[in-house]
């Protein structure tokens, strides 16, 4: 089903490419835009994960540089019956995380230094389990590809506004202004349609992987509070990547946040609390993660690595 949804989304984004091209350059503009859309779709399928990680300056870590984080990801991946994903950390004070990759065999999870410093180990585990659920559900392909293509649509509209045709071939200033404003929002609406329900599904699946729904609920509350006070400048520069994150990283001060790509955090927390009541008390060992070394990604003050 997710493969079908991915195809439908790519078709919709490709059509949107064509519409923007037609309004900016007529029939020839539409053909150029459709050709660009096909090339972008192919490129996004194979490279969207690297583009997302690069946009947020993510650095890959291993057992030497972030032993506790890598151990945690490995254990949770085993519980989820997934291949071990690559693990990244991005130097960013905003608490947040995302997953990317076209399939479970080529997946990656990334956490910000803000997340690792602000949350407890069990809360971080809840966030990682949520991201692994996205990987298991194969959400990461549609999310990363849509982010790449939506960004390309925004760039196309802005390029057309700056370098449109001349004389009678040039669209009216009103049309071009509408394209600059509407095209990115239309792409974001398409992303919103496929991201909201996926967050609820990933919350539930992640809570079951960890075995502690309330750990993820607590993490979401802390992340939402951090996002409200700490800007993520990389996300502001690349707003099309916002659906990748566990909580919308955009500040809301700019036009790019007109359409939210995530459900209300309060509703997600309420759903997790209801799940915790259904599950009842978890056995003590379930989902138990602790800090083990001063050099861990939760930094007890002795040594600082690429995680913070």
């Amino acid at each position: 089903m997710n493969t079908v949804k991915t195809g439908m989304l790519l078709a919709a984004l490709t059509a949107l490419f064509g519409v923007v091209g037609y309004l900016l350059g007529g029939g020839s503009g539409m053909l150029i835009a459709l050709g660009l859309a096909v090339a972008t779709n192919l490129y996004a399928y194979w490279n969207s994960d690297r583009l997302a990680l690069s946009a947020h300056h993510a650095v890959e870590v291993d057992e030497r540089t972030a032993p506790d984080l890598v151990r945690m990801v490995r254990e949770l991946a085993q519980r989820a019956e997934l291949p071990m994903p690559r693990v990244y950390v991005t130097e960013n004070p905003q608490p947040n995380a995302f997953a990317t990759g076209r399939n479970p065999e080529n997946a990656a999870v990334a956490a910000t230094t803000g997340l690792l410093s602000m949350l407890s180990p069990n809360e971080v585990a809840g966030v990682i389990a949520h991201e692994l659920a996205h990987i298991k559900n194969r959400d990461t392909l549609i999310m990363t590809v849509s982010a790449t293509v939506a960004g390309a649509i925004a760039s196309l509209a802005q390029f057309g506004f700056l370098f449109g045709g001349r004389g009678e071939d040039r669209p009216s200033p009103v049309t071009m202004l509408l394209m600059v404003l509407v095209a990115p929002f239309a792409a974001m609406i398409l992303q919103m349609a496929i991201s909201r329900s996926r967050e609820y599904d990933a919350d539930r699946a992640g809570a079951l992987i960890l075995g502690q729904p309330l750990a993820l609920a607590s993490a979401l509350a802390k992340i939402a509070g951090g996002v409200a006070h700490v800007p993520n400048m990389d996300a502001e520069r690349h707003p099309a990547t916002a659906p990748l994150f566990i909580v919308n990283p955009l500040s809301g001060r700019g036009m790019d946040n007109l359409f939210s790509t995530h459900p209300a955090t309060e509703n997600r927390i309420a759903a997790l609390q209801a799940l915790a009541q259904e599950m009842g008390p978890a056995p003590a060992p379930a989902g138990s993660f602790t800090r083990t070394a001063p050099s861990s990604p939760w930094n007890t003050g002795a040594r600082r690595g690429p995680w913070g």
Side-chain angles (χ1 to χ4, degrees), residues 155-243:
S155 298
L156 175 65
Q158 294 167 356
F159 180 83
F161 181 79
L162 294 174
F163 304 104
R166 299 181 182 277
E168 295 181 356
D169 294 332
R170 186 178 179 88
S172 69
V174 173
T175 299
M176 297 187 73
L177 182 60
L178 286 175
M179 285 302 96
V180 171
L181 295 176
V182 173
F185 290 150
M188 291 293 282
I189 290 173
L190 289 173
Q191 289 178 277
M192 179 176 64
I194 55 90
S195 64
R196 283 177 172 263
S197 63
R198 291 171 188 264
E199 292 304 318
Y200 284 116
D201 292 341
D203 284 344
R204 181 178 182 87
L208 293 175
I209 291 170
L210 179 63
Q212 292 189 0
L214 294 183
L216 178 54
S218 177
L220 289 174
K222 289 184 178 180
I223 294 171
V227 167
H229 295 92
V230 182
N232 184 329
M233 300 312 299
D234 287 333
E236 299 292 342
R237 284 188 289 267
H238 303 279
T241 63

Side-chain angles (χ1 to χ4, degrees), residues 19 33 43 60 64 67 82 118 133 152 168 181 205 217 223 232 237 270 282:
V19 171
Y43 183 79
E60 189 168 6
R64 180 181 60 83
L82 286 170
M118 182 179 295
E168 295 181 356
L181 295 176
I223 294 171
N232 184 329
R237 284 188 289 267

Side-chain angles (χ1 to χ4, degrees), residues 213 271 278:
E278 293 176 16

Side-chain angles (χ1 to χ4, degrees), residues 32-53:
I32 293 173
L34 288 175
L36 180 61
V38 172
T40 301
N41 286 340
L42 291 174
Y43 183 79
Y45 178 82
W46 291 105
N47 299 285
S48 55
D49 55 341
R50 285 184 284 179
L51 293 175
L53 293 166

Side-chain angles (χ1 to χ4, degrees), residues 67-263:
D68 286 354
L69 179 60
V70 172
R71 176 184 61 83
M72 172 188 291
V73 174
R74 179 177 290 106
E75 181 175 337
L76 291 171
Q78 290 173 350
R79 296 186 192 183
E81 299 181 337
L82 286 170
M84 175 65 180
R86 290 167 290 142
V87 183
Y88 288 79
V89 171
T90 175
E91 185 73 40
N92 194 306
Q94 184 189 88
N96 227 318
F98 66 91
T100 183
R102 64 182 181 274
N103 54 42
E105 291 73 30
N106 296 275
V109 294
T112 67
T113 52
L115 182 98
L116 299 176
S117 63
M118 182 179 295
L119 272 60
S120 71
N122 267 13
E123 290 167 341
V124 173
V127 172
I128 297 299
H130 169 100
E131 299 305 334
L132 291 176
H134 276 310
I135 294 172
K136 187 167 187 174
N137 294 338
R138 296 181 180 266
D139 296 333
T140 51
L141 171 61
I142 193 170
M143 293 166 70
T144 51
V145 168
S146 64
T148 302
V149 178
I153 292 174
S155 298
L156 175 65
Q158 294 167 356
F159 180 83
F161 181 79
L162 294 174
F163 304 104
R166 299 181 182 277
E168 295 181 356
D169 294 332
R170 186 178 179 88
S172 69
V174 173
T175 299
M176 297 187 73
L177 182 60
L178 286 175
M179 285 302 96
V180 171
L181 295 176
V182 173
F185 290 150
M188 291 293 282
I189 290 173
L190 289 173
Q191 289 178 277
M192 179 176 64
I194 55 90
S195 64
R196 283 177 172 263
S197 63
R198 291 171 188 264
E199 292 304 318
Y200 284 116
D201 292 341
D203 284 344
R204 181 178 182 87
L208 293 175
I209 291 170
L210 179 63
Q212 292 189 0
L214 294 183
L216 178 54
S218 177
L220 289 174
K222 289 184 178 180
I223 294 171
V227 167
H229 295 92
V230 182
N232 184 329
M233 300 312 299
D234 287 333
E236 299 292 342
R237 284 188 289 267
H238 303 279
T241 63
L244 299 178
F245 286 83
I246 187 169
V247 172
N248 186 358
L250 301 179
S251 65
R253 292 189 291 270
M255 291 290 286
D256 291 314
N257 201 38
L258 181 61
F259 299 108
S260 174
T261 57
H262 293 70

